[in-house]
Amino acid sequence: MSEPVLATRNLCKTFNALVATDDVSIDLKPGEIHAIIGPNGAGKSTLIGQICGGIKPDAGSVHLGDSDVTNFSTAERAQAGLGRTFQISALAMEDTVLENVLLGVVGRSAKPWRFWSPALKARDLIESSMAALERVGLAEVCDQVTANLSHGQRRQLEVAVALALTPKAFVMDEPMAGLGAEGSHSMTDFLSELRHEAPILLVEHDMDAVFALADRISVLVYGRIIASGSVDEIKASKKVREAYLGEET
Amino acid sequence: MIREGYINAIVLFGFLLIPICALIIEEPYTITLATRAAVLALAAVGLNIALGIGGLVSLGHAVFFGLGGYAMGILAFHAQNYIPVELGPLTINGTKSMPIIWLTAVLVSAFAALIIGLLSLRTTGVYFIMITLAFGQMFFFFSISWSAYGGEDGLSIYVRNVFPGVNTLVPIQFFGLCFTALCVALFVQSRLRASIFGLVLNSARQTPVRAETVGLNPMRLKLLAFVISGAITGLAGALFADLNRFVSPTMFSWQLSGELIVLIIIGGVGRLAGPVIGSALFVTLEHFLGEFTDFWHIWLGLILLLIVLFARGGIIGILTGKDGPHV
Ligand SMILES: Nc1ncnc2c1ncn2[C@@H]1O[C@H](COP(=O)(O)OP(=O)(O)OP(=O)(O)O)[C@@H](O)[C@H]1O
Ligand SMILES: [Mg+2]
């Protein structure tokens, strides 16, 4: 088996009395999409926060490639190769679409200390940004102010910013949320290809998308991984159906 | 609506026209008022970099204004009394040369901004406002008790300092110096805003988590913005002291920090010409209403209220029809 790109070992996190992450060990191997599913409030976003930084685990560790990044800041983890998208878009709403992606490109170059030459004339940076926008289908609206984008376009822009980082692993929190059937479809196609560039840890509520995309699924309930396996295994698991899928069907 | 670039040009041109007209009709006091407005605008341009681009609501920018003022006051005081400044083992001669005074003002305020920034940028929101305010008060009370340099009474300088090739005693020439400094600062700000640093800083203001998740450290970006900002406000302080030939603890007062914020909000937060319009309006009101009533601040307050309620982009926002540079 190939070495995981990203892994957590025995992560634990409690908020006061609430156990949000309970001994979670997952990994992400090259070329795969590993989906994390679970009911609302199961602790998916909290888990992602611990992987990407911002939420400090009470115990356990996070590994990216060979390095233990548990004590890295969010920025250092991004530098080390984590590309994250947010469940609730965290974009610079006053800026244009292009400027938002440019931020990702600058982040990757780790050289924000350029004070004199205009950012929008830095040809190399603009080209990388446009390439990322092209891929998510936002190239035409590159000059629009982000606040004017539709919800779906903002989701795409989230992904474009992460693409601009050319990370070693993607961590995506509900990229399909609110996309509608058609948007969901094209995003599914897109992510399906993207996994070959860098594996994706995917948190998603859209079951059709998850079943279409995932190489592996882990089910998180009350902060615990109750099952982990292939799509068919998860579909067949009685435990999962009782705890989670059963509620819906 | 009018493009912002044109408005900026018109504002600056108009600003230049007033003292020129005053010169023609021989109204030297108006030139002094215009100089005062230019210097306050310069101080506010400094703050606008921290506040408008970086989102740092500093209620302590009077620290840098005051430091610039005292840099001028102390150096000129020693020069006019022919006593060197004793800094421990180091002795420095005082000077009446503006370039040296300005450089000192800029370096001292930049250093102060670095230290204050390092200590206060760990906090955000109201806490940041409070910490910067506290630093302002610290400097204020220190200057009051610093009897070597006049304490509460401040320091008077007999003759305005000198600048090579300029007769600074002639009001219009001194105005020219201050106006040039203002234009240079505005140029620096516009380059900075359009640069990669400016872009990233501006995004970090809107969404700090995003800056972090792309691998940037918002704290460092903000710290640098704060230092640049403090340095420009410090330069304004040196000019302000030279304009009045007087420095006193009021330059460190929190009211001054507050006024700088008010100027910016009235003109337009983050907008290039915002502080210039705000300051021109401020000095005009202060002068004309101040003649009739001691309570002219009420009118300023009313304008501020109207702007905050109905025109979030300030006067520049009204003129361009846009609340922000893009939106
Ligand atoms: N900062 C916090 N302080 C206290 N409780 C929190 C905090 N963040 C999250 N929680 C709680 O932890 C639990 C897990 O939240 P989390 O956002 O991780 O769930 P989720 O699986 O992402 O849910 P959703 O599907 O709705 O996005 C929830 O009960 C939530 O209320
Ligand atoms: Mg969530």
Side-chain angles (χ1 to χ4, degrees), chain B residues 191-204:
Chain B
R191 292 301 297 226
L192 208 62
R193 174 64 188 82
S195 74
I196 286 173
F197 173 74
L199 176 100
V200 170
L201 179 66
N202 193 46
S203 314

Side-chain angles (χ1 to χ4, degrees), chain A residues 146-159:
Chain A
T146 306
N148 298 341
L149 293 188
S150 70
H151 175 80
Q153 289 173 313
R154 288 182 200 174
R155 305 303 305 164
Q156 292 170 316
L157 183 52
E158 273 283 328
V159 174

